[in-house]
Amino acid sequence: MYKGQLKSWNDSKGFGFIESPDLKQDTFIHISTLKAMNRKPKQGDFIYFETENQANGKIRAVNCRIEGVAAKSITKRNVPRMHKKSSAPTSKIVTTLAIVLIAVFAYQRLNISPDSKPIQHIQTKPNITLSDKTISSSRSTQFICDGRQYCSQMTSRAEAEFFTRQCPNTKMDGDRDGIPCENDSRF
């Protein structure tokens, strides 16, 4: 590290030259190398510096400080906060959205009853024969296995018969003769 005296300083352009007994020529100094100092340099200030060779062959001062002048203390108010604040709302939104999606998924998973089976769409034939009874229909009836098991949940005998034949875990044919809901007066 060298020590020299600021021989000249152009405050409007932000540069000057340092004269040092250790170097043959004056050394160029730019204000950007003194940005950590509490004040701007003045002609006559003593400067501590290192040198760097430029592409044009001249020497330039780097890592400079002014003798007797304290360096700026870095405080929170000097640190730009915009960068920190700009990402905070985005991360809060992303976090909130993730929590909502997880909650919706969990709600849907918990709302499925353990007795329910996958929905099966099965179209019945117009004429169905069970034992000695025949059910006729002019058009096809469509029922869906949706987890219902009891006669009280059925709307017709055809629906009860469909559930007994096609859907698991039904409790509508107590005597297991193939005729569901025999004692239900609604049918």
Side-chain angles (χ1 to χ4, degrees), residues 32 66 88 98 107 112 130 148-149 155 170:
S32 63
I66 304 169
Y107 178 77
I112 297 173
L130 292 174
R148 293 181 286 163
Q149 299 176 346
T155 57
T170 59

Side-chain angles (χ1 to χ4, degrees), residues 43-169:
Q43 189 171 342
D45 281 342
F46 284 96
I47 310 287
Y48 291 96
F49 62 99
E50 293 176 1
T51 60
E52 175 182 87
N53 290 326
Q54 294 179 309
N56 60 8
K58 295 185 179 182
I59 298 173
R60 168 187 166 131
V62 293
N63 299 327
C64 304
R65 65 180 178 86
I66 304 169
E67 183 179 59
V69 176
K72 290 180 185 177
S73 62
I74 298 175
T75 61
K76 288 185 180 181
R77 60 188 153 105
N78 292 340
V79 176
R81 293 183 181 179
M82 187 59 88
H83 178 34
K84 290 179 182 178
K85 284 186 175 180
S86 65
S87 64
T90 304
S91 64
K92 286 180 182 177
I93 291 170
V94 169
T95 303
T96 303
L97 184 59
I99 290 170
V100 168
L101 289 174
I102 290 168
V104 167
F105 179 75
Y107 178 77
Q108 288 176 343
R109 296 290 272 164
L110 293 175
N111 256 358
I112 297 173
S113 71
D115 294 335
S116 65
K117 303 294 179 207
I119 296 176
Q120 301 171 3
H121 293 278
I122 300 173
Q123 191 167 3
T124 60
K125 296 179 183 176
N127 293 321
I128 301 168
T129 306
L130 292 174
S131 301
D132 57 344
K133 296 184 179 183
T134 302
I135 300 169
S136 298
S137 175
S138 59
R139 62 179 194 165
S140 298
T141 309
Q142 186 174 4
F143 300 112
I144 300 170
C145 289
D146 58 6
R148 293 181 286 163
Q149 299 176 346
Y150 301 101
C151 292
S152 61
Q153 297 171 316
M154 300 296 127
T155 57
S156 68
R157 181 166 301 281
E159 187 177 32
E161 290 170 351
F162 168 82
F163 270 79
T164 303
R165 277 192 330 261
Q166 301 293 335
C167 304
N169 301 324

